[in-house]
PDB file of all heavy atoms in Angstrom:
ATOM      1  N   GLU I 107      99.635  -6.732  65.305  1.00  0.00           N
ATOM      2  CA  GLU I 107      98.209  -6.294  64.940  1.00  0.00           C
ATOM      3  C   GLU I 107      97.260  -6.853  66.037  1.00  0.00           C
ATOM      4  O   GLU I 107      96.389  -6.079  66.430  1.00  0.00           O
ATOM      5  CB  GLU I 107      97.844  -6.751  63.579  1.00  0.00           C
ATOM      6  CG  GLU I 107      98.745  -6.206  62.433  1.00  0.00           C
ATOM      7  CD  GLU I 107      98.640  -4.707  62.377  1.00  0.00           C
ATOM      8  OE1 GLU I 107      97.509  -4.028  62.818  1.00  0.00           O
ATOM      9  OE2 GLU I 107      99.542  -3.991  61.974  1.00  0.00           O
ATOM     10  N   ILE I 108      97.315  -8.174  66.321  1.00  0.00           N
ATOM     11  CA  ILE I 108      96.299  -8.686  67.257  1.00  0.00           C
ATOM     12  C   ILE I 108      96.508  -8.229  68.616  1.00  0.00           C
ATOM     13  O   ILE I 108      95.517  -8.096  69.393  1.00  0.00           O
ATOM     14  CB  ILE I 108      96.232 -10.257  67.080  1.00  0.00           C
ATOM     15  CG1 ILE I 108      95.953 -10.655  65.592  1.00  0.00           C
ATOM     16  CG2 ILE I 108      95.314 -10.851  68.070  1.00  0.00           C
ATOM     17  CD1 ILE I 108      94.576 -10.170  65.111  1.00  0.00           C
ATOM     18  N   SER I 109      97.723  -7.933  69.067  1.00  0.00           N
ATOM     19  CA  SER I 109      97.950  -7.430  70.456  1.00  0.00           C
ATOM     20  C   SER I 109      97.444  -5.927  70.576  1.00  0.00           C
ATOM     21  O   SER I 109      97.111  -5.497  71.557  1.00  0.00           O
ATOM     22  CB  SER I 109      99.435  -7.403  70.814  1.00  0.00           C
ATOM     23  OG  SER I 109     100.153  -6.413  70.104  1.00  0.00           O
ATOM     24  N   MET I 110      97.265  -5.322  69.337  1.00  0.00           N
ATOM     25  CA  MET I 110      96.789  -4.008  69.242  1.00  0.00           C
ATOM     26  C   MET I 110      97.863  -2.928  69.814  1.00  0.00           C
ATOM     27  O   MET I 110      97.472  -1.774  70.131  1.00  0.00           O
ATOM     28  CB  MET I 110      95.481  -3.696  69.889  1.00  0.00           C
ATOM     29  CG  MET I 110      94.323  -4.494  69.271  1.00  0.00           C
ATOM     30  SD  MET I 110      92.685  -4.292  69.976  1.00  0.00           S
ATOM     31  CE  MET I 110      92.850  -5.062  71.466  1.00  0.00           C
ATOM     32  N   TYR I 111      99.082  -3.361  69.996  1.00  0.00           N
ATOM     33  CA  TYR I 111     100.130  -2.519  70.475  1.00  0.00           C
ATOM     34  C   TYR I 111     100.954  -1.854  69.312  1.00  0.00           C
ATOM     35  O   TYR I 111     101.724  -0.933  69.598  1.00  0.00           O
ATOM     36  CB  TYR I 111     101.088  -3.255  71.417  1.00  0.00           C
ATOM     37  CG  TYR I 111     100.370  -3.804  72.677  1.00  0.00           C
ATOM     38  CD1 TYR I 111     100.927  -4.904  73.267  1.00  0.00           C
ATOM     39  CD2 TYR I 111      99.306  -3.255  73.210  1.00  0.00           C
ATOM     40  CE1 TYR I 111     100.364  -5.454  74.414  1.00  0.00           C
ATOM     41  CE2 TYR I 111      98.636  -3.782  74.269  1.00  0.00           C
ATOM     42  CZ  TYR I 111      99.196  -4.890  74.904  1.00  0.00           C
ATOM     43  OH  TYR I 111      98.672  -5.411  76.031  1.00  0.00           O
ATOM     44  N   GLY I 112     100.739  -2.306  68.101  1.00  0.00           N
ATOM     45  CA  GLY I 112     101.293  -1.693  66.912  1.00  0.00           C
ATOM     46  C   GLY I 112     102.790  -2.097  66.727  1.00  0.00           C
ATOM     47  O   GLY I 112     103.336  -2.932  67.321  1.00  0.00           O
ATOM     48  N   GLU I 113     103.321  -1.305  65.699  1.00  0.00           N
ATOM     49  CA  GLU I 113     104.756  -1.512  65.347  1.00  0.00           C
ATOM     50  C   GLU I 113     105.707  -1.242  66.486  1.00  0.00           C
ATOM     51  O   GLU I 113     105.374  -0.527  67.313  1.00  0.00           O
ATOM     52  CB  GLU I 113     105.122  -0.668  64.225  1.00  0.00           C
ATOM     53  CG  GLU I 113     104.479  -0.943  62.982  1.00  0.00           C
ATOM     54  CD  GLU I 113     104.868  -0.108  61.727  1.00  0.00           C
ATOM     55  OE1 GLU I 113     105.893   0.649  61.924  1.00  0.00           O
ATOM     56  OE2 GLU I 113     104.281  -0.158  60.674  1.00  0.00           O
ATOM     57  N   ASN I 114     106.723  -1.987  66.533  1.00  0.00           N
ATOM     58  CA  ASN I 114     107.835  -1.843  67.498  1.00  0.00           C
ATOM     59  C   ASN I 114     107.428  -2.206  68.906  1.00  0.00           C
ATOM     60  O   ASN I 114     108.132  -1.879  69.840  1.00  0.00           O
ATOM     61  CB  ASN I 114     108.461  -0.470  67.434  1.00  0.00           C
ATOM     62  CG  ASN I 114     108.985  -0.070  66.038  1.00  0.00           C
ATOM     63  OD1 ASN I 114     109.513  -0.866  65.504  1.00  0.00           O
ATOM     64  ND2 ASN I 114     108.583   1.207  65.650  1.00  0.00           N
ATOM     65  N   CYS I 115     106.380  -3.014  69.099  1.00  0.00           N
ATOM     66  CA  CYS I 115     106.090  -3.421  70.424  1.00  0.00           C
ATOM     67  C   CYS I 115     106.837  -4.694  70.767  1.00  0.00           C
ATOM     68  O   CYS I 115     106.930  -4.989  71.977  1.00  0.00           O
ATOM     69  CB  CYS I 115     104.529  -3.765  70.480  1.00  0.00           C
ATOM     70  SG  CYS I 115     103.942  -5.221  69.539  1.00  0.00           S
ATOM     71  N   ILE I 116     107.376  -5.467  69.862  1.00  0.00           N
ATOM     72  CA  ILE I 116     108.207  -6.559  70.205  1.00  0.00           C
ATOM     73  C   ILE I 116     109.561  -6.204  70.574  1.00  0.00           C
ATOM     74  O   ILE I 116     110.407  -5.742  69.745  1.00  0.00           O
ATOM     75  CB  ILE I 116     108.156  -7.559  69.088  1.00  0.00           C
ATOM     76  CG1 ILE I 116     106.695  -8.005  68.836  1.00  0.00           C
ATOM     77  CG2 ILE I 116     109.028  -8.756  69.381  1.00  0.00           C
ATOM     78  CD1 ILE I 116     106.469  -8.975  67.660  1.00  0.00           C
ATOM     79  N   GLU I 117     109.968  -6.221  71.781  1.00  0.00           N
ATOM     80  CA  GLU I 117     111.149  -5.838  72.352  1.00  0.00           C
ATOM     81  C   GLU I 117     112.268  -6.848  72.092  1.00  0.00           C
ATOM     82  O   GLU I 117     113.429  -6.580  71.701  1.00  0.00           O
ATOM     83  CB  GLU I 117     111.122  -5.515  73.845  1.00  0.00           C
ATOM     84  CG  GLU I 117     110.246  -4.198  74.097  1.00  0.00           C
ATOM     85  CD  GLU I 117     110.927  -2.906  73.598  1.00  0.00           C
ATOM     86  OE1 GLU I 117     112.186  -2.843  73.656  1.00  0.00           O
ATOM     87  OE2 GLU I 117     110.153  -2.039  73.189  1.00  0.00           O
ATOM     88  N   PHE I 118     112.056  -8.081  72.489  1.00  0.00           N
ATOM     89  CA  PHE I 118     112.984  -9.120  72.430  1.00  0.00           C
ATOM     90  C   PHE I 118     112.349 -10.451  71.909  1.00  0.00           C
ATOM     91  O   PHE I 118     111.189 -10.664  72.176  1.00  0.00           O
ATOM     92  CB  PHE I 118     113.504  -9.459  73.792  1.00  0.00           C
ATOM     93  CG  PHE I 118     114.226  -8.309  74.431  1.00  0.00           C
ATOM     94  CD1 PHE I 118     113.636  -7.625  75.413  1.00  0.00           C
ATOM     95  CD2 PHE I 118     115.571  -8.013  74.088  1.00  0.00           C
ATOM     96  CE1 PHE I 118     114.310  -6.590  76.113  1.00  0.00           C
ATOM     97  CE2 PHE I 118     116.167  -6.935  74.688  1.00  0.00           C
ATOM     98  CZ  PHE I 118     115.503  -6.240  75.763  1.00  0.00           C
ATOM     99  N   VAL I 119     113.083 -11.151  71.035  1.00  0.00           N
ATOM    100  CA  VAL I 119     112.700 -12.488  70.680  1.00  0.00           C
ATOM    101  C   VAL I 119     113.970 -13.285  70.661  1.00  0.00           C
ATOM    102  O   VAL I 119     115.009 -12.942  70.257  1.00  0.00           O
ATOM    103  CB  VAL I 119     112.301 -12.452  69.088  1.00  0.00           C
ATOM    104  CG1 VAL I 119     111.920 -13.929  68.778  1.00  0.00           C
ATOM    105  CG2 VAL I 119     111.062 -11.607  68.893  1.00  0.00           C
ATOM    106  N   PHE I 120     113.888 -14.432  71.452  1.00  0.00           N
ATOM    107  CA  PHE I 120     115.005 -15.289  71.556  1.00  0.00           C
ATOM    108  C   PHE I 120     114.586 -16.734  71.536  1.00  0.00           C
ATOM    109  O   PHE I 120     113.510 -17.140  72.003  1.00  0.00           O
ATOM    110  CB  PHE I 120     115.911 -14.991  72.749  1.00  0.00           C
ATOM    111  CG  PHE I 120     115.212 -14.954  74.038  1.00  0.00           C
ATOM    112  CD1 PHE I 120     115.163 -16.084  74.893  1.00  0.00           C
ATOM    113  CD2 PHE I 120     114.584 -13.777  74.562  1.00  0.00           C
ATOM    114  CE1 PHE I 120     114.455 -16.026  76.078  1.00  0.00           C
ATOM    115  CE2 PHE I 120     113.885 -13.765  75.804  1.00  0.00           C
ATOM    116  CZ  PHE I 120     113.866 -14.847  76.491  1.00  0.00           C
ATOM    117  N   PRO I 121     115.388 -17.557  70.912  1.00  0.00           N
ATOM    118  CA  PRO I 121     115.117 -18.949  70.831  1.00  0.00           C
ATOM    119  C   PRO I 121     115.176 -19.597  72.326  1.00  0.00           C
ATOM    120  O   PRO I 121     116.025 -19.234  73.111  1.00  0.00           O
ATOM    121  CB  PRO I 121     116.165 -19.549  69.914  1.00  0.00           C
ATOM    122  CG  PRO I 121     117.278 -18.617  69.898  1.00  0.00           C
ATOM    123  CD  PRO I 121     116.659 -17.342  70.247  1.00  0.00           C
ATOM    124  N   GLY I 122     114.321 -20.534  72.552  1.00  0.00           N
ATOM    125  CA  GLY I 122     114.326 -21.254  73.818  1.00  0.00           C
ATOM    126  C   GLY I 122     113.345 -20.626  74.810  1.00  0.00           C
ATOM    127  O   GLY I 122     112.687 -19.592  74.537  1.00  0.00           O
ATOM    128  N   GLU I 123     113.448 -21.114  75.953  1.00  0.00           N
ATOM    129  CA  GLU I 123     112.560 -20.701  77.070  1.00  0.00           C
ATOM    130  C   GLU I 123     113.354 -19.751  77.941  1.00  0.00           C
ATOM    131  O   GLU I 123     114.476 -19.985  78.292  1.00  0.00           O
ATOM    132  CB  GLU I 123     111.978 -21.820  77.791  1.00  0.00           C
ATOM    133  CG  GLU I 123     110.872 -21.579  78.746  1.00  0.00           C
ATOM    134  CD  GLU I 123     110.267 -22.832  79.300  1.00  0.00           C
ATOM    135  OE1 GLU I 123     110.490 -23.900  78.574  1.00  0.00           O
ATOM    136  OE2 GLU I 123     109.586 -22.774  80.312  1.00  0.00           O
ATOM    137  N   SER I 124     112.685 -18.741  78.411  1.00  0.00           N
ATOM    138  CA  SER I 124     113.461 -17.882  79.454  1.00  0.00           C
ATOM    139  C   SER I 124     113.577 -18.648  80.747  1.00  0.00           C
ATOM    140  O   SER I 124     112.805 -19.292  81.210  1.00  0.00           O
ATOM    141  CB  SER I 124     112.684 -16.567  79.671  1.00  0.00           C
ATOM    142  OG  SER I 124     111.466 -16.797  80.312  1.00  0.00           O
ATOM    143  N   ILE I 125     114.737 -18.394  81.315  1.00  0.00           N
ATOM    144  CA  ILE I 125     115.069 -19.107  82.543  1.00  0.00           C
ATOM    145  C   ILE I 125     114.441 -18.457  83.707  1.00  0.00           C
ATOM    146  O   ILE I 125     113.919 -19.065  84.684  1.00  0.00           O
ATOM    147  CB  ILE I 125     116.612 -19.205  82.729  1.00  0.00           C
ATOM    148  CG1 ILE I 125     117.184 -20.057  81.734  1.00  0.00           C
ATOM    149  CG2 ILE I 125     116.989 -19.667  84.075  1.00  0.00           C
ATOM    150  CD1 ILE I 125     118.687 -20.150  81.653  1.00  0.00           C
ATOM    151  N   PHE I 126     114.445 -17.104  83.629  1.00  0.00           N
ATOM    152  CA  PHE I 126     113.860 -16.331  84.698  1.00  0.00           C
ATOM    153  C   PHE I 126     113.141 -15.091  84.190  1.00  0.00           C
ATOM    154  O   PHE I 126     113.602 -14.453  83.274  1.00  0.00           O
ATOM    155  CB  PHE I 126     114.952 -15.824  85.641  1.00  0.00           C
ATOM    156  CG  PHE I 126     114.459 -14.902  86.743  1.00  0.00           C
ATOM    157  CD1 PHE I 126     113.827 -15.460  87.805  1.00  0.00           C
ATOM    158  CD2 PHE I 126     114.719 -13.593  86.696  1.00  0.00           C
ATOM    159  CE1 PHE I 126     113.322 -14.603  88.907  1.00  0.00           C
ATOM    160  CE2 PHE I 126     114.234 -12.724  87.737  1.00  0.00           C
ATOM    161  CZ  PHE I 126     113.507 -13.338  88.758  1.00  0.00           C
ATOM    162  N   SER I 127     111.971 -14.869  84.703  1.00  0.00           N
ATOM    163  CA  SER I 127     111.257 -13.660  84.241  1.00  0.00           C
ATOM    164  C   SER I 127     110.451 -13.091  85.392  1.00  0.00           C
ATOM    165  O   SER I 127     109.958 -13.722  86.282  1.00  0.00           O
ATOM    166  CB  SER I 127     110.232 -13.945  83.148  1.00  0.00           C
ATOM    167  OG  SER I 127     109.517 -12.930  82.773  1.00  0.00           O
ATOM    168  N   LEU I 128     110.441 -11.763  85.460  1.00  0.00           N
ATOM    169  CA  LEU I 128     109.633 -11.073  86.451  1.00  0.00           C
ATOM    170  C   LEU I 128     108.139 -11.171  86.073  1.00  0.00           C
ATOM    171  O   LEU I 128     107.273 -10.831  86.843  1.00  0.00           O
ATOM    172  CB  LEU I 128     110.029  -9.602  86.637  1.00  0.00           C
ATOM    173  CG  LEU I 128     111.519  -9.512  87.121  1.00  0.00           C
ATOM    174  CD1 LEU I 128     111.757  -8.016  87.150  1.00  0.00           C
ATOM    175  CD2 LEU I 128     111.661 -10.005  88.523  1.00  0.00           C
ATOM    176  N   HIS I 129     107.827 -11.611  84.879  1.00  0.00           N
ATOM    177  CA  HIS I 129     106.444 -11.554  84.367  1.00  0.00           C
ATOM    178  C   HIS I 129     105.984 -13.028  84.117  1.00  0.00           C
ATOM    179  O   HIS I 129     106.743 -13.808  83.601  1.00  0.00           O
ATOM    180  CB  HIS I 129     106.415 -10.719  83.043  1.00  0.00           C
ATOM    181  CG  HIS I 129     106.930  -9.345  83.183  1.00  0.00           C
ATOM    182  ND1 HIS I 129     106.105  -8.395  83.740  1.00  0.00           N
ATOM    183  CD2 HIS I 129     108.082  -8.804  83.021  1.00  0.00           C
ATOM    184  CE1 HIS I 129     106.763  -7.244  83.786  1.00  0.00           C
ATOM    185  NE2 HIS I 129     107.955  -7.510  83.312  1.00  0.00           N
ATOM    186  N   GLU I 130     104.726 -13.202  84.433  1.00  0.00           N
ATOM    187  CA  GLU I 130     104.140 -14.475  84.121  1.00  0.00           C
ATOM    188  C   GLU I 130     103.961 -14.646  82.618  1.00  0.00           C
ATOM    189  O   GLU I 130     103.812 -13.652  81.880  1.00  0.00           O
ATOM    190  CB  GLU I 130     102.725 -14.494  84.706  1.00  0.00           C
ATOM    191  CG  GLU I 130     102.020 -15.796  84.625  1.00  0.00           C
ATOM    192  CD  GLU I 130     100.690 -15.774  85.356  1.00  0.00           C
ATOM    193  OE1 GLU I 130     100.715 -15.187  86.434  1.00  0.00           O
ATOM    194  OE2 GLU I 130      99.709 -16.253  84.773  1.00  0.00           O
ATOM    195  N   VAL I 131     104.046 -15.926  82.072  1.00  0.00           N
ATOM    196  CA  VAL I 131     103.861 -16.118  80.576  1.00  0.00           C
ATOM    197  C   VAL I 131     102.388 -15.923  80.293  1.00  0.00           C
ATOM    198  O   VAL I 131     101.465 -16.364  80.942  1.00  0.00           O
ATOM    199  CB  VAL I 131     104.354 -17.533  80.282  1.00  0.00           C
ATOM    200  CG1 VAL I 131     104.004 -17.766  78.746  1.00  0.00           C
ATOM    201  CG2 VAL I 131     105.797 -17.725  80.473  1.00  0.00           C
ATOM    202  N   CYS I 132     102.164 -15.051  79.265  1.00  0.00           N
ATOM    203  CA  CYS I 132     100.735 -14.787  78.867  1.00  0.00           C
ATOM    204  C   CYS I 132     100.324 -15.845  77.919  1.00  0.00           C
ATOM    205  O   CYS I 132     101.057 -16.380  77.200  1.00  0.00           O
ATOM    206  CB  CYS I 132     100.764 -13.397  78.205  1.00  0.00           C
ATOM    207  SG  CYS I 132     101.267 -12.094  79.278  1.00  0.00           S
ATOM    208  N   SER I 133      99.018 -15.955  77.808  1.00  0.00           N
ATOM    209  CA  SER I 133      98.346 -16.812  76.880  1.00  0.00           C
ATOM    210  C   SER I 133      98.082 -16.235  75.528  1.00  0.00           C
ATOM    211  O   SER I 133      97.415 -15.142  75.488  1.00  0.00           O
ATOM    212  CB  SER I 133      97.069 -17.335  77.497  1.00  0.00           C
ATOM    213  OG  SER I 133      96.249 -17.956  76.516  1.00  0.00           O
ATOM    214  N   VAL I 134      98.589 -16.814  74.467  1.00  0.00           N
ATOM    215  CA  VAL I 134      98.240 -16.329  73.113  1.00  0.00           C
ATOM    216  C   VAL I 134      96.775 -16.384  72.879  1.00  0.00           C
ATOM    217  O   VAL I 134      96.128 -15.536  72.282  1.00  0.00           O
ATOM    218  CB  VAL I 134      99.040 -17.127  71.944  1.00  0.00           C
ATOM    219  CG1 VAL I 134      98.488 -16.720  70.581  1.00  0.00           C
ATOM    220  CG2 VAL I 134     100.499 -16.882  72.172  1.00  0.00           C
ATOM    221  N   PHE I 135      96.166 -17.460  73.355  1.00  0.00           N
ATOM    222  CA  PHE I 135      94.695 -17.655  73.280  1.00  0.00           C
ATOM    223  C   PHE I 135      93.897 -16.456  73.921  1.00  0.00           C
ATOM    224  O   PHE I 135      92.946 -16.016  73.307  1.00  0.00           O
ATOM    225  CB  PHE I 135      94.252 -19.003  73.880  1.00  0.00           C
ATOM    226  CG  PHE I 135      94.915 -20.227  73.302  1.00  0.00           C
ATOM    227  CD1 PHE I 135      95.903 -20.847  73.986  1.00  0.00           C
ATOM    228  CD2 PHE I 135      94.485 -20.667  71.944  1.00  0.00           C
ATOM    229  CE1 PHE I 135      96.470 -21.964  73.451  1.00  0.00           C
ATOM    230  CE2 PHE I 135      95.137 -21.780  71.464  1.00  0.00           C
ATOM    231  CZ  PHE I 135      96.106 -22.441  72.135  1.00  0.00           C
ATOM    232  N   ASP I 136      94.374 -16.087  75.012  1.00  0.00           N
ATOM    233  CA  ASP I 136      93.726 -15.038  75.778  1.00  0.00           C
ATOM    234  C   ASP I 136      93.921 -13.667  75.050  1.00  0.00           C
ATOM    235  O   ASP I 136      93.110 -12.823  75.037  1.00  0.00           O
ATOM    236  CB  ASP I 136      94.276 -14.825  77.196  1.00  0.00           C
ATOM    237  CG  ASP I 136      93.867 -15.895  78.151  1.00  0.00           C
ATOM    238  OD1 ASP I 136      92.881 -16.682  77.780  1.00  0.00           O
ATOM    239  OD2 ASP I 136      94.367 -16.058  79.105  1.00  0.00           O
ATOM    240  N   MET I 137      95.076 -13.525  74.389  1.00  0.00           N
ATOM    241  CA  MET I 137      95.371 -12.309  73.625  1.00  0.00           C
ATOM    242  C   MET I 137      94.357 -12.215  72.411  1.00  0.00           C
ATOM    243  O   MET I 137      93.719 -11.168  72.124  1.00  0.00           O
ATOM    244  CB  MET I 137      96.742 -12.244  73.070  1.00  0.00           C
ATOM    245  CG  MET I 137      96.990 -10.924  72.203  1.00  0.00           C
ATOM    246  SD  MET I 137      98.640 -10.829  71.522  1.00  0.00           S
ATOM    247  CE  MET I 137      98.781 -12.314  70.584  1.00  0.00           C
ATOM    248  N   VAL I 138      94.146 -13.318  71.677  1.00  0.00           N
ATOM    249  CA  VAL I 138      93.178 -13.350  70.592  1.00  0.00           C
ATOM    250  C   VAL I 138      91.795 -13.067  71.106  1.00  0.00           C
ATOM    251  O   VAL I 138      91.038 -12.356  70.509  1.00  0.00           O
ATOM    252  CB  VAL I 138      93.401 -14.663  69.751  1.00  0.00           C
ATOM    253  CG1 VAL I 138      92.290 -14.839  68.740  1.00  0.00           C
ATOM    254  CG2 VAL I 138      94.752 -14.768  69.101  1.00  0.00           C
ATOM    255  N   LYS I 139      91.530 -13.760  72.189  1.00  0.00           N
ATOM    256  CA  LYS I 139      90.057 -13.480  72.817  1.00  0.00           C
ATOM    257  C   LYS I 139      89.892 -12.028  73.160  1.00  0.00           C
ATOM    258  O   LYS I 139      88.877 -11.575  72.962  1.00  0.00           O
ATOM    259  CB  LYS I 139      89.884 -14.373  74.019  1.00  0.00           C
ATOM    260  CG  LYS I 139      88.519 -14.323  74.597  1.00  0.00           C
ATOM    261  CD  LYS I 139      88.374 -15.388  75.695  1.00  0.00           C
ATOM    262  CE  LYS I 139      87.013 -15.400  76.317  1.00  0.00           C
ATOM    263  NZ  LYS I 139      86.138 -14.292  76.174  1.00  0.00           N
ATOM    264  N   ARG I 140      90.935 -11.441  73.767  1.00  0.00           N
ATOM    265  CA  ARG I 140      90.898 -10.015  74.116  1.00  0.00           C
ATOM    266  C   ARG I 140      90.616  -9.154  72.906  1.00  0.00           C
ATOM    267  O   ARG I 140      89.780  -8.250  72.958  1.00  0.00           O
ATOM    268  CB  ARG I 140      92.185  -9.630  74.903  1.00  0.00           C
ATOM    269  CG  ARG I 140      92.212  -8.253  75.242  1.00  0.00           C
ATOM    270  CD  ARG I 140      93.599  -7.949  76.023  1.00  0.00           C
ATOM    271  NE  ARG I 140      94.685  -7.964  75.170  1.00  0.00           N
ATOM    272  CZ  ARG I 140      95.927  -8.301  75.447  1.00  0.00           C
ATOM    273  NH1 ARG I 140      96.212  -8.647  76.646  1.00  0.00           N
ATOM    274  NH2 ARG I 140      96.900  -8.344  74.603  1.00  0.00           N
ATOM    275  N   PHE I 141      91.341  -9.546  71.883  1.00  0.00           N
ATOM    276  CA  PHE I 141      91.095  -8.711  70.527  1.00  0.00           C
ATOM    277  C   PHE I 141      89.614  -8.939  70.139  1.00  0.00           C
ATOM    278  O   PHE I 141      89.004  -7.931  69.728  1.00  0.00           O
ATOM    279  CB  PHE I 141      92.111  -9.263  69.485  1.00  0.00           C
ATOM    280  CG  PHE I 141      91.820  -8.735  68.113  1.00  0.00           C
ATOM    281  CD1 PHE I 141      92.371  -7.449  67.797  1.00  0.00           C
ATOM    282  CD2 PHE I 141      91.060  -9.358  67.102  1.00  0.00           C
ATOM    283  CE1 PHE I 141      92.244  -6.833  66.610  1.00  0.00           C
ATOM    284  CE2 PHE I 141      90.845  -8.772  65.916  1.00  0.00           C
ATOM    285  CZ  PHE I 141      91.458  -7.583  65.627  1.00  0.00           C
ATOM    286  N   ASP I 142      89.122 -10.063  70.120  1.00  0.00           N
ATOM    287  CA  ASP I 142      87.759 -10.453  69.686  1.00  0.00           C
ATOM    288  C   ASP I 142      86.686  -9.725  70.538  1.00  0.00           C
ATOM    289  O   ASP I 142      85.701  -9.124  69.974  1.00  0.00           O
ATOM    290  CB  ASP I 142      87.461 -11.897  69.550  1.00  0.00           C
ATOM    291  CG  ASP I 142      88.201 -12.583  68.418  1.00  0.00           C
ATOM    292  OD1 ASP I 142      88.525 -11.883  67.464  1.00  0.00           O
ATOM    293  OD2 ASP I 142      88.331 -13.744  68.527  1.00  0.00           O
ATOM    294  N   ASP I 143      86.944  -9.758  71.853  1.00  0.00           N
ATOM    295  CA  ASP I 143      85.999  -9.177  72.884  1.00  0.00           C
ATOM    296  C   ASP I 143      86.051  -7.663  72.897  1.00  0.00           C
ATOM    297  O   ASP I 143      85.074  -7.070  73.371  1.00  0.00           O
ATOM    298  CB  ASP I 143      86.153  -9.754  74.238  1.00  0.00           C
ATOM    299  CG  ASP I 143      85.890 -11.182  74.294  1.00  0.00           C
ATOM    300  OD1 ASP I 143      85.255 -11.737  73.378  1.00  0.00           O
ATOM    301  OD2 ASP I 143      86.348 -11.875  75.329  1.00  0.00           O
ATOM    302  N   SER I 144      87.165  -7.062  72.462  1.00  0.00           N
ATOM    303  CA  SER I 144      87.321  -5.598  72.717  1.00  0.00           C
ATOM    304  C   SER I 144      86.509  -4.772  71.799  1.00  0.00           C
ATOM    305  O   SER I 144      86.358  -3.577  71.933  1.00  0.00           O
ATOM    306  CB  SER I 144      88.864  -5.252  72.379  1.00  0.00           C
ATOM    307  OG  SER I 144      89.096  -5.365  71.048  1.00  0.00           O
TER     308      SER I 144
END
């Protein structure tokens, strides 16, 4: 809901920290702020 991407937007959830990612880790704080500011 807060990401505003809707159902089925969560592709993967896994315990632990990813070892390698092509993407930078996003800030939950920034996502909530983006929602509020939008």
Side-chain angles (χ1 to χ4, degrees):
E107 298 298 332
I108 300 301
S109 71
M110 297 182 289
Y111 300 152
E113 290 183 10
N114 302 318
C115 68
I116 299 175
E117 292 290 328
F118 299 101
V119 177
F120 53 93
E123 191 170 343
S124 65
I125 295 172
F126 176 75
S127 175
L128 296 175
H129 302 280
E130 184 176 318
V131 174
C132 298
S133 166
V134 173
F135 300 106
D136 289 345
M137 180 181 59
V138 172
K139 184 175 181 341
R140 180 177 69 208
F141 175 82
D142 288 338
D143 293 347
S144 72

